[in-house]
Amino acid sequence: ARASMRGRLSVSKDQVVSAPDKSFAKLDRDGDGMISAGESTSSRPVLTQFDRADQNGDRMLSATEFDALVASFEEEMAE
């Protein structure tokens, strides 16, 4: 069950970059407008960069922090 759940919820770097708002909404499972560390596990690229993206250290990604993360992904993909 876990593998199918991960596949259904998984958000790739391409999806984050091509549809950031949709990706944020998908990751923000409780709809509080923030992506928690736990919620970030649905996206390996977000999870691996979570600590760097969490600029204020509150263990949550705000929309602003997420947008900065998306911009960093765009730069990586452009290289």
Side-chain angles (χ1 to χ4, degrees):
R2 193 162 165 218
S4 65
M5 190 177 100
R6 194 173 70 229
R8 186 167 49 86
L9 291 173
S10 180
V11 179
S12 71
K13 188 183 284 189
D14 287 343
Q15 288 171 306
V16 168
V17 169
S18 65
D21 294 344
K22 190 175 170 187
S23 298
F24 187 92
K26 197 171 180 182
L27 290 168
D28 178 22
R29 292 193 300 269
D30 64 4
D32 68 351
M34 304 283 271
I35 297 171
S36 68
E39 288 170 333
S40 77
T41 61
S42 295
S43 175
R44 182 175 296 277
V46 175
L47 176 63
T48 56
Q49 296 298 319
F50 187 90
D51 290 333
R52 185 174 64 86
D54 179 21
Q55 293 162 356
N56 64 1
D58 65 355
R59 305 299 296 145
M60 305 283 272
L61 295 186
S62 66
T64 303
E65 289 168 332
F66 186 78
D67 288 346
L69 179 60
V70 171
S72 74
F73 287 163
E74 287 171 339
E75 286 173 20
E76 284 170 24
M77 292 168 82
E79 285 174 7

